[in-house]
Amino acid sequence: MVSRSLWTGVARGPSRQLHPSTPYRCFSCSIRLNQDTQSSARSEATTHFGYETIAESQKASRVGEVFTSVASSYDTMNDLMSLGIHRLWKDHFVRSLNPGSHPHSLTPSNPSTRGWTILDVAGGTGDIALRLLDHATHINHSPHTRVTVADINAAMLAEGARRSLSTPYAPPSPRLAFVLADAEHMPTIPSASIDLYTVAFGIRNFTDKRRALREAWRVLRPGGVFACLEFGRVQNALLGAVYKRWSFSAIPLIGQLVAADRASYQYLVESIERFPAQPEFADMVREAGFVTAGRGWEDLSGGIAAIHKGVKPLEGST
């Protein structure tokens, strides 16, 4: 739990701007740029930043620049990228998890403790965390369910802390905390301490997704749930073609007109294209040790987004 002083410090976190010389990249230009830069990056472990191939050591700072730039307009960004439907997806995501319900009302580690312990990763603005708390409080009457929001970006956390001040969960309430943390390595989160781990529209930006999944496994209690809401692959070919053309043509342009930031929006649409398709990501979740039901995911809006879930098996189970 963050103290009031840290909460204030987060709200006054540093602000950075994207480098003004970041070039505009069209769809085909991005592919050529990716091909041209691959050879120069072979001497070091690499990863992708949209359609660019960059050194792994550079990705966190590059992604950080994007989200520092868009923190204050994060909801607008998601409205543009999903035509506003992300709000319905998030509501459905939270309802499907039913936080604060009976199965976790008595936690395995301390039967006298009521309520769920939830970790919302890459959730800096608090969008999911506030929904989780509202659902636990008003639907399941669980006033002791608490959420820790972990994010690697101080500007996003500052936006979340600012928004939370107008909610019942602001300090001195102990139910909502904001911590600066890297999803791939969170030593401040004890092992087997979390009932529910959520990440919404964030995991595609991680440098090492498999490492982040292993860290999710570590912090979850046996029986705990990993839940991810992320953009996916559209199942209908015609809808997919229309959506892709709209994404690459319209979203960066709107980002330039609305937020004077074309480069950030260009990266975000490219990052969707580079994220694994639903079957591949479901396999990654299972490889991390989670048990999934059925195929492991639920498509939303024809696959524009998807919910992935996995359960950490109980000790001694197979």
Side-chain angles (χ1 to χ4, degrees), residues 122-134:
T125 62
D127 204 17
I128 294 295
L130 294 175
R131 282 174 164 85
L132 291 165
L133 287 169
D134 282 345

Side-chain angles (χ1 to χ4, degrees), residues 181-216:
D182 183 344
E184 297 171 25
H185 181 58
M186 298 183 288
T188 60
I189 307 296
S191 298
S193 64
I194 302 298
D195 294 310
L196 172 65
Y197 174 116
T198 60
V199 55
F201 301 116
I203 202 167
R204 74 180 188 277
N205 300 301
F206 296 173
T207 302
D208 189 335
K209 298 169 185 60
R210 285 183 168 83
R211 185 178 181 186
L213 288 169
R214 292 194 297 270
E215 188 70 346

Side-chain angles (χ1 to χ4, degrees), residues 112-129:
S112 66
T113 301
R114 293 182 297 157
W116 291 22
T117 300
I118 302 173
L119 179 64
D120 183 38
V121 176
T125 62
D127 204 17
I128 294 295

Side-chain angles (χ1 to χ4, degrees), residues 48-101:
H48 58 81
F49 178 79
Y51 282 150
E52 290 184 59
T53 297
I54 62 173
E56 284 187 353
S57 59
Q58 297 176 4
K59 182 162 183 178
S61 62
R62 294 284 297 275
V63 171
E65 289 176 348
V66 169
F67 282 92
T68 296
S69 176
V70 304
S72 62
S73 58
Y74 185 70
D75 284 340
T76 301
M77 176 193 74
N78 282 328
D79 283 334
L80 294 175
M81 297 183 69
S82 70
L83 299 177
I85 303 173
H86 75 100
R87 299 173 188 273
L88 300 179
W89 293 339
K90 290 173 180 175
D91 289 342
H92 175 70
F93 180 57
V94 170
R95 286 195 302 269
S96 75
L97 298 170
N98 200 19
S101 60

